[in-house]
């Protein structure tokens, strides 16, 4: 018999703190026994004691030595015990699960799904927050914009930016500019469209990025007329140059002009606000208008100086803006400064979505743990006999609880391992919902997959889920029932407590599921409202594709106009095409605004000038897009550079005209004050920007009067595929300049617009998770009711024998179930009202506390839950009283 | 005993093990038994005895539990473990061989030239 089992059998506690007391007691016994013996042999008490002490030897030093030796021994034994117990528990737990493959599989599935979902969200959230800015000291980076008098915001103007650099030096160590752009690289016989960015000279220094090869741009290289240089991204260098180490000074033809490669960026570098740029060029301020103070196109990034804060920077720049407003009231009156951390700009739209998803997945995890706890509870109660015996022969309650919890911890570990696989698929699912356009500005999501951090997170989750699902059932189950040590069952305290716990779990699961379903329903309805919005155009059967003319040979405006007219003529005769037109920017694509004044009206003051989004159109754009002509006329080929400049305005703008009729009135734009334009038509309102955004008015002009070198075709036709290949063929014959890209249909453009994606995307995920939660809860209810029927078999048998009908028995069972369901639904409604508030940012056209949605969800859940409890309850009606009574005999 | 300390320690260990060969005893009981059995010839200092007992316990040759003495007082009883019993058998055999050899030398007659 080992010392350990010896001790356990006799329930001797041995803790190292007892060492000193035990040693003292042992030695005291010895001395007193010797004293007693000597007294019996005739000595006096005092003599005997002295002699015993003398015989013993040096008592104090011995005591000390014995105490430390004993403490050492006890500590060593305690540790060995603990290790032995753990090993034993794990072996028992493992065997227990192996012998119950159904239970083990259910646990693996439930915990695996929930852990995996958490792991996937964790990976994505971590990437969004910690990998969005792969630069040193990124927290000091800020984005600068200007606020406008009407409460909006815009990019800065170039002269404003120079003033900031000059006058706000104490707040910033550096201020630089970026501009995203599409670049056309000559490859072989054609042109390939690549994402690119133009940056000011000190851009990479500001980010503290060291290039992998070559150098960044030198000061002076970003001036107009500077040399044509390009820096490649690591991916581009690998894909297009095979990672050629002799890449520097090689040439690349971009937009028809040769550029010299001066550097290669390090792998993994990205600057999200500029999109996933493959090619980096120096800033091109181009022709004069770009340098004017009324032209707002400059995106500014800055690094805060040591000691400066957001507040101090805002204050400092605010003063600068005030001075500028005073010095240049025409362009800067009412303009202020907006300073935000760069991280917020990059992940801003994502945050409410990620937050909602995180909350959702936590709820699902809780439901999963509750479900697992329910499974453990039935198992523990089923082992009541075994546990009671164990307690009776001397195991402490703590010991038994520890062994039960080891089982749930093992399940948790299994769930975490399964979760790793689920997480891999989960991340792919999460990122699969993002289209190219969205991913372009979220480059840290490309190629994302679970990594070491995810593994560590899942390990933590294993412990959390193990404890959460195992502790309560273990505490309930590890009780010895004094009166019925081996009977247990419904009558015992264990049975009652177990039932309370199980009921509580079901109510909790139901409540959480109500919240999840309500949340999903609210987002779904928002999406429906969004898509039902009248966008002002007919999106179905409209094919789009952007055509860009790049290269110096296309710089002539007249040539551009002739090109687009000719292209549209050719497109019109393609079979299947009913109408064709083109526009400078499709609806929902945003774009800057221009201020104007109406001739003959009093001059508005600088802060309240009307402004509108500008669009150039060609061909039969309005007909192709199904935009209604309200009054007047559209553009004709006679409107060209020799005739009066004409405009078609959107209906909301017509209201600005006193008297109501804008036709024939003239407008003058502050940006080009030399020409007047006559209004010849009014069309229906179309949203230029986000569907859920504001509705600024739109002013259309014809490209024949102000040439565009890039326009998007809008063609009403039956089939997209053949049409686009036909267009591509035509383009091929029209010269080496034009390139076709961003082919799509208008329906897809709407579907992929940020407002829609911001709702459809979380709906995908929340919907999936809500479905999982529903499944788990339904399974939980089924299990509880089925168990209830099994437990009350005897009672049901007796009632049946006394004359109760099958239906009455079923009703009896259902009554208990109904109470639970009602409790769960009520609690869930309350919870939903609170939690739905977190979704406010995602909702559209519906309040988070919308009663109709909540009632619908509750009704659906009530029905489902009732079905889940009715199905097993039917068995109660079939109980054979003779069988049941004979069984207990 | 005026021998080297190592010898004393080794001897004491085997004496204690033997004392426990017929059943558990407490520390005082072991001391008393040794005194009686050797007719007071071997006088073991009590402190040495307890130090030896604890050493043997650390080596898992003996194990201890608290029990009641003859006078119903709480005392720490020691008993042999399986390993201890094996050690006792080995040591007994070694001692017997050793003592036999010494005895042969001491009993030897004058050696032939």
């Amino acid at each position: 018999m080992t010392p350990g089992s010896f001790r356990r059998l006799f329930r001797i506690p041995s803790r190292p703190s007892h060492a000193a007391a035990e040693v003292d007691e042992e030695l005291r016994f010895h001395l007193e026994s010797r004293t007693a013996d000597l007294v019996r042999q005739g000595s006096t008490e005092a003599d005997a004691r002295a002699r015993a002490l003398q015989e013993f030897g040096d008592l104090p030093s011995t005591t000390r030595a014995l105490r430390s030796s004993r403490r050492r021994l006890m500590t060593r034994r305690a540790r060995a015990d603990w290790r032995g117990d753990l090993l034993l528990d794990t072996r028992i737990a493992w065997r227990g699960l192996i012998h119950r493959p159904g239970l083990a599989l259910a646990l693996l599935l439930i915990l695996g799904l929930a852990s995996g979902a958490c792991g996937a969200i964790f990976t994505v959230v971590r990437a969004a927050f910690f990998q969005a800015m792969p630069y040193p000291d990124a927290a000091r980076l800020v984005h600068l914009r200007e606020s406008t008098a009407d409460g909006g915001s815009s990019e800065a103007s170039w002269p404003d930016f120079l003033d900031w650099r000059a006058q706000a030096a104490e707040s910033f160590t550096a201020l630089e500019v970026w501009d995203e752009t599409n670049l056309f690289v000559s490859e072989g016989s054609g042109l390939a469209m690549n994402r690119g960015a133009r940056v000011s000279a000190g851009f990479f220094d500001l980010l503290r990025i060291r290039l992998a090869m070559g150098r960044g741009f030198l000061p002076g290289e970003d001036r107009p007329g500077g040399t044509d240089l390009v820096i490649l991204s690591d991916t581009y260098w690998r894909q297009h140059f095979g990672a050629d180490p002799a890449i520097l000074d090689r040439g690349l033809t971009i937009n028809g002009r040769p550029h010299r490669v001066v550097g290669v960026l390090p792998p993994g570098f990205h600057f999200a606000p500029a999109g996933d740029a493959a090619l980096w060029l120096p800033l091109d301020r181009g022709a004069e208008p770009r340098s004017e103070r009324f032209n707002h196109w400059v995106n500014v990034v800055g690094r805060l100086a040591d000691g400066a804060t957001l507040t101090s920077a805002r204050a400092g720049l605010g003063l600068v803006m005030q001075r500028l407003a005073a010095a240049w009231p025409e362009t800067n009156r009412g303009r202020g400064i907006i300073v935000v951390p760069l991280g917020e700009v990059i992940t801003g739209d994502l945050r409410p979505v990620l937050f909602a998803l995180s909350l959702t997945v936590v709820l699902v995890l809780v439901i999963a743990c509750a479900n697992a706890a329910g499974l453990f509870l039935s198992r523990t109660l089923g082992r009541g006999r075994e546990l009671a015996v164990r307690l009776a022969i001397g195991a402490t309650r703590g010991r038994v609880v520890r062994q039960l919890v080891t089982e749930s911890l093992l399940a948790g570990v299994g769930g975490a391992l399964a979760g790793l696989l689920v997480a891999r698929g989960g991340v792919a699912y999460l990122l699969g919902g993002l289209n190219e356009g969205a991913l372009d500005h979220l480059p840290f999501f490309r190629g994302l997959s679970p990594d070491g951090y995810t593994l560590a997170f899942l390990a933590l989750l294993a412990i959390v889920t193990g404890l959460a699902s195992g502790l309560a059932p273990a505490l309930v189950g590890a009780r010895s029932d004094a009166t019925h040590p081996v009977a247990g069952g419904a009558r015992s305290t264990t049975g009652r407590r177990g039932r309370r716990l199980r009921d509580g779990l079901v109510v909790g699961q139901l409540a959480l599921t109500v919240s999840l379903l309500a949340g999903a329903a609210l987002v779904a309805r928002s999406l429906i409202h969004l898509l039902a919005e009248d966008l002002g155009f007919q999106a179905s059967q409209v094919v789009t594709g952007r055509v860009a003319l790049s290269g110096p040979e296309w710089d002539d405006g007249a040539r551009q106009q002739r090109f687009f007219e000719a292209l549209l003529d050719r497109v019109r005769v393609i079979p299947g095409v009913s109408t064709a037109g083109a526009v400078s920017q499709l609806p929902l694509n945003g774009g800057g605004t221009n201020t104007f004044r109406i001739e003959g009206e009093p001059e508005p003051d600088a802060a309240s000038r009307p402004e509108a989004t500008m669009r150039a159109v060609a061909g039969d754009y309005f007909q192709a897009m199904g935009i209604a002509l309200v009054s007047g006329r559209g553009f004709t080929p006679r409107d060209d550079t020799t005739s009066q400049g004409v405009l078609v305005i959107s209906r909301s703008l017509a209201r600005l005209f006193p008297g109501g009729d804008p036709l024939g009135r003239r407008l003058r734009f502050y940006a080009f004050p030399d020409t007047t334009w006559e209004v010849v038509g009014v069309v229906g309102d179309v949203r230029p920007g986000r569907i859920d955004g504001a509705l600024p008015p739109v002013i259309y002009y014809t490209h024949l009067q102000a040439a565009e070198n890039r326009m998007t075709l809008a063609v009403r036709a039956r089939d997209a595929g053949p049409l686009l290949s036909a267009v591509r063929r035509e383009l091929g014959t029209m010269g080496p300049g034009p390139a076709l890209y961003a082919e799509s249909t208008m329906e897809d453009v709407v579907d992929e617009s940020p407002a829609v994606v911001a709702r459809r995307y979380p709906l995908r995920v929340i919907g999936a998770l809500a479905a999982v939660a529903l499944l788990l809860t339904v399974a939980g209810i089924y299990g509880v009711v089925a168990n209830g029927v099994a437990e009350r078999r005897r009672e049901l048998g007796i009632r049946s024998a006394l004359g109760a009908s099958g239906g009455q028995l079923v009703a009896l069972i259902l009554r208990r179930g109904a109470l639970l369901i009602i409790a769960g639904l009520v609690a869930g409604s309350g919870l939903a009202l609170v939690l739905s508030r977190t979704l406010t940012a995602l909702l559209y056209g519906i309040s988070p506390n919308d009663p109709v949605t909540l009632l619908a969800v509750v009704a659906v859940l009530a029905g489902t839950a009732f079905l889940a409890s009715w199905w097993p309850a039917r068995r109660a009606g079939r109980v054979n009283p003779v069988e049941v009574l004979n069984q207990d005999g | 005993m005026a021998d080297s300390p190592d010898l004393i320690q080794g001897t004491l260990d085997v004496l204690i093990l033997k004392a426990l060969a017929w059943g558990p005893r407490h520390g005082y009981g072991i001391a008393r038994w040794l005194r009686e059995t050797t007719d007071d010839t071997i006088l073991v200092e009590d402190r040495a005895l307890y130090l030896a007992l604890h050493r043997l316990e650390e080596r898992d040759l003996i194990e201890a539990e608290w029990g009641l003495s003859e006078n119903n007082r709480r005392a720490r009883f020691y008993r042999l473990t399986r390993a201890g019993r094996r050690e006792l058998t080995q040591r007994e055999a070694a001692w017997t061989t050793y003592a036999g050899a010494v005895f042969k030398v001491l009993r030897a007659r004058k050696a032939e030239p």
Side-chain angles (χ1 to χ4, degrees):
Chain A
M1 212 191 280
T2 65
S5 59
F6 188 34
R7 209 189 343 252
R8 256 200 298 281
L9 192 60
F10 288 84
R11 300 204 227 187
I12 313 283
S14 58
R15 261 163 283 161
S17 52
H18 288 182
E22 287 196 350
V23 165
D24 289 345
E25 186 168 359
E26 186 176 13
L27 297 182
R28 193 172 42 240
F29 173 79
H30 176 100
L31 291 170
E32 283 170 0
S33 305
R34 184 69 182 135
T35 309
D37 273 357
L38 288 170
V39 162
R40 227 171 300 151
Q41 289 168 13
S43 312
T44 64
E45 179 88 24
D47 282 344
R49 211 173 294 143
R51 186 149 157 227
L53 206 58
Q54 190 211 25
E55 281 178 0
F56 188 90
D58 186 350
L59 184 59
S61 83
T62 312
T63 310
R64 266 200 307 277
L66 287 177
R67 276 182 187 172
S68 61
S69 142
R70 174 67 65 80
R71 236 193 316 268
R72 259 196 329 265
L73 179 61
M74 286 170 125
T75 315
R76 199 184 65 195
R77 292 246 170 91
R79 246 181 255 143
D81 271 353
W82 189 84
R83 271 198 308 266
D85 284 349
L86 191 64
L87 217 64
L88 187 66
D89 284 346
T90 314
R91 261 213 303 266
I92 295 177
W94 176 255
R95 257 189 305 215
L97 287 175
I98 291 289
H99 285 155
R100 281 172 174 68
L103 176 68
L105 210 65
L107 284 171
L108 213 66
L109 204 68
I110 294 170
L111 292 178
L113 267 178
S115 304
C118 284
I121 301 273
F122 171 81
T123 311
V124 169
V125 169
R126 206 183 76 82
F129 282 91
F130 293 102
Q131 294 169 320
M133 295 190 290
Y135 330 116
D137 216 5
R140 306 292 289 167
L141 296 174
V142 293
H143 175 49
L144 304 184
R145 283 174 75 81
E146 293 183 5
S147 65
T148 57
D150 62 359
S153 77
S154 77
E155 289 86 347
S157 68
W158 183 257
D160 286 354
F161 165 68
L162 291 177
D163 284 325
W164 292 350
R165 253 189 180 165
Q167 302 179 32
E170 73 279 359
S171 302
F172 298 99
T173 59
L175 287 173
E176 301 293 335
V177 174
W178 87 85
D179 194 25
E180 58 178 300
T181 178
N182 289 326
L183 300 169
F184 296 89
V185 180
S186 306
E187 282 179 5
S189 58
L191 289 174
M193 202 274 288
N194 281 285
R195 297 283 293 142
R198 291 185 186 273
V199 296
S200 51
F203 182 80
F204 296 110
D205 289 333
L206 181 148
L207 294 179
R208 303 211 183 136
I209 290 295
R210 294 198 51 162
L211 272 71
M213 293 177 67
R215 59 172 181 82
F217 299 125
L218 301 173
E221 284 174 345
D222 59 353
R223 299 241 159 77
T227 40
D228 287 329
L229 307 171
V230 64
I231 293 177
L232 309 177
S233 73
D234 180 75
T235 320
Y236 193 86
W237 173 54
R238 283 179 203 279
Q239 282 176 355
H240 289 81
F241 291 95
D244 179 5
I247 183 66
L248 297 182
D249 289 335
R250 280 181 66 165
L252 210 60
T253 306
I254 302 178
N255 287 358
R257 291 158 63 141
H259 286 67
R260 185 162 60 92
V261 177
V262 291
V264 176
L265 289 163
F269 171 79
H270 56 73
F271 185 72
D276 210 3
L279 303 166
W280 297 75
L281 279 74
L283 200 61
D284 162 31
R285 291 205 308 285
E288 266 316 297
R290 299 251 286 176
S291 302
E292 293 297 325
R293 212 175 271 274
F294 55 73
N295 217 326
H296 299 276
W297 59 275
V298 174
N299 287 302
V300 182
V301 59
R303 183 177 280 279
L304 287 174
D306 295 328
T309 63
L310 275 177
T311 333
S312 73
R314 273 189 202 118
L317 281 173
L319 284 176
V320 175
M321 290 304 283
Q322 276 175 15
R323 268 179 258 143
L324 290 177
W328 308 94
E330 286 284 303
T331 53
N332 283 50
R333 176 100 65 96
R335 284 186 165 261
I337 191 69
I338 298 176
V339 183
V340 283
L342 193 62
E344 265 177 42
V345 172
I346 297 176
T347 58
D349 276 339
L350 274 181
R351 283 178 193 204
V353 172
L354 289 180
F355 181 70
L357 292 184
S358 305
L359 194 61
T360 309
V361 92
V362 165
L363 290 184
V364 170
L365 187 69
V366 173
I367 293 178
C369 287
N371 226 294
L375 288 172
F376 277 119
L377 189 59
S378 7
R379 174 152 157 69
T380 308
L381 292 179
R383 294 162 75 182
R385 194 174 302 198
E386 172 204 335
L387 296 175
V389 167
R390 200 129 43 109
L391 287 167
I393 62 168
T396 64
R397 188 154 172 263
R399 188 71 195 75
V400 174
V401 168
R402 224 166 69 198
Q403 195 262 301
L404 292 174
V405 169
T406 311
E407 210 169 279
S408 66
L409 279 174
L410 202 63
V413 169
L417 288 174
L420 197 58
L421 289 168
V422 174
R424 200 175 293 257
V427 172
Y429 181 75
L430 280 172
L431 298 182
L434 295 172
N435 61 342
E436 248 320 292
L439 272 179
D440 185 55
H441 282 268
L442 303 169
F444 40 86
F445 279 164
R446 280 196 200 281
L448 188 65
S449 73
D451 57 8
Y453 284 95
T454 314
L455 194 61
F457 175 74
L458 283 175
L460 191 66
L461 219 55
I463 298 174
V464 168
T465 55
L467 284 177
S469 50
L471 200 57
L475 287 172
V476 161
R479 293 185 112 76
S480 60
D481 197 322
T483 54
H484 295 281
V486 295
R491 289 273 146 68
S492 69
T493 331
T494 318
R496 261 208 301 282
R497 261 184 241 255
R499 226 189 336 199
R500 260 212 297 270
L501 178 62
R502 155 167 282 153
D503 289 349
L505 289 174
V506 167
V507 169
Q509 285 183 333
L510 208 48
L512 290 174
T513 309
V514 169
S515 307
L516 278 177
L517 282 180
L522 284 172
V523 177
R525 287 189 70 184
S526 298
L527 188 61
I528 293 174
H529 285 161
L530 202 64
L531 292 175
E533 279 286 349
D534 181 17
L535 300 169
F537 55 88
Q538 306 291 326
S540 58
Q541 296 199 320
V542 175
V543 180
T544 65
R546 194 153 172 81
V547 175
L549 300 170
S550 67
E553 67 271 22
W554 290 102
D555 278 345
D556 172 40
R559 189 147 183 229
Q560 293 166 2
Q561 289 162 340
R562 279 197 303 274
F563 170 84
F564 279 109
E565 287 295 310
L567 180 62
L568 286 173
D569 284 337
R570 293 197 195 193
V571 170
R572 266 185 213 109
V573 297
I574 296 176
V577 171
S578 45
T579 26
V583 67
S584 52
Q585 278 288 0
L586 284 177
L588 307 182
N589 265 6
T593 57
N594 273 326
T595 49
F596 60 93
R597 61 169 295 206
I598 304 170
E599 295 268 289
E601 296 299 321
E603 171 104 28
D605 79 83
S608 57
R609 288 184 191 151
E611 54 184 16
T613 313
M614 308 292 296
R615 292 280 192 262
V617 304
D620 303 313
Y621 172 71
F622 297 121
Q623 291 93 309
M625 289 287 283
I627 300 174
L629 185 66
V630 174
S631 65
R633 66 168 178 85
F635 299 112
T636 69
R638 276 196 307 278
D639 300 311
D640 59 21
T641 42
T642 64
S643 57
Q644 164 66 42
V646 290
L647 300 174
V648 172
I649 64 174
S650 61
R651 199 197 328 230
S652 58
L653 204 53
R655 288 185 214 115
L656 280 182
F657 290 79
D661 183 18
L663 296 178
R665 305 294 298 269
R666 286 164 185 258
L667 299 182
R668 196 188 285 270
F669 291 97
Y670 286 97
F672 336 104
D674 301 326
T675 9
T676 59
W677 300 76
E678 184 181 332
V679 178
V680 296
V682 179
V683 291
D685 285 310
V686 166
R687 282 182 190 279
R690 286 175 69 108
I691 300 179
D692 55 356
L695 189 65
V698 185
I699 296 183
Y700 302 91
Y701 57 96
T702 167
H703 80 117
L704 293 172
Q705 292 184 328
E708 295 281 331
N709 67 346
R710 293 181 193 196
M711 294 189 84
T712 306
L713 296 175
V715 183
R716 186 164 285 275
R718 273 192 322 266
D719 303 304
L723 172 67
L724 289 168
S725 6
V727 170
R728 211 183 280 277
R729 270 199 309 274
E730 295 296 339
L731 278 179
T733 68
M734 293 175 79
L740 179 70
Y741 61 101
E743 301 98 313
S744 185
T745 66
M746 205 55 215
E747 278 174 329
D748 286 344
V749 170
V750 171
D751 276 347
E752 290 167 12
S753 65
V756 172
V757 170
R759 277 140 192 115
R760 170 171 286 140
Y761 178 74
L763 185 61
R764 239 165 88 94
V765 184
I766 298 180
L769 290 175
V772 170
L774 184 63
L775 218 69
L776 288 175
T777 306
V778 162
I781 295 176
Y782 181 95
V784 166
V785 175
N787 229 285
V789 170
E791 272 174 15
R792 296 170 74 177
R793 272 174 68 77
R794 206 153 165 259
E795 174 197 343
L796 293 169
I798 294 173
R799 282 179 192 265
S800 172
L802 291 178
S805 72
Q808 283 175 318
L809 293 175
V810 172
L812 194 68
I813 296 285
L814 281 182
R815 210 179 14 241
R816 273 213 79 238
L819 281 168
L820 286 183
I821 293 174
I822 291 174
L825 292 175
V826 168
S829 305
L831 192 63
L833 288 174
V834 171
L835 288 180
S836 296
R837 259 178 251 265
T838 61
L839 288 175
T840 314
L842 294 179
L843 298 182
Y844 181 80
I846 193 167
S847 137
N849 295 338
D850 182 56
V852 173
T853 316
L854 192 56
L855 278 173
V857 166
V858 167
V860 165
L861 261 180
T864 323
F866 176 75
L867 229 80
S869 49
W870 175 71
W871 192 258
R874 292 180 320 150
R875 229 182 298 157
R878 302 201 224 107
V879 164
N880 186 341
V882 177
E883 226 179 76
V884 170
L885 293 175
N886 273 346
Q887 233 174 28
D888 287 341
Chain B
M1 293 168 53
D3 287 333
S4 71
D6 285 340
L7 189 56
I8 296 177
Q9 182 172 315
T11 316
L12 189 49
D13 282 355
V14 76
L15 293 179
I16 293 174
L17 290 176
K18 188 67 181 182
L20 299 176
W22 294 284
R25 293 179 198 271
H26 50 65
Y28 181 69
I30 296 173
R32 196 175 45 200
W33 183 80
L34 282 177
R35 202 177 297 121
E36 286 166 9
T37 313
T38 64
D39 292 324
D40 281 345
T41 316
I42 298 185
L43 290 164
V44 180
E45 222 189 358
D46 292 331
R47 62 177 280 277
L49 175 70
Y50 278 95
L51 289 170
L53 276 169
H54 276 72
R55 260 196 321 269
L56 287 170
E57 194 185 355
E58 265 188 277
R59 289 169 57 196
D60 283 333
L61 295 173
I62 61 178
E63 58 192 8
E65 60 151 339
W66 285 94
L68 292 178
S69 71
E70 314 81 45
N71 325 357
N72 275 334
R73 305 250 317 284
R74 228 167 87 92
R76 203 155 186 262
F77 284 81
Y78 297 87
R79 79 203 302 157
L80 285 177
T81 65
R82 210 176 317 172
R85 206 168 278 280
R86 274 200 304 268
E87 178 87 1
L88 173 60
T89 318
Q90 277 171 15
R91 295 276 203 103
E92 247 181 311
W95 247 99
T96 315
T97 316
Y98 172 69
V102 170
F103 197 60
K104 267 198 231 151
V105 169
L106 291 177
R107 278 289 169 105
R109 293 182 178 280
K110 185 168 160 239
E112 299 298 313

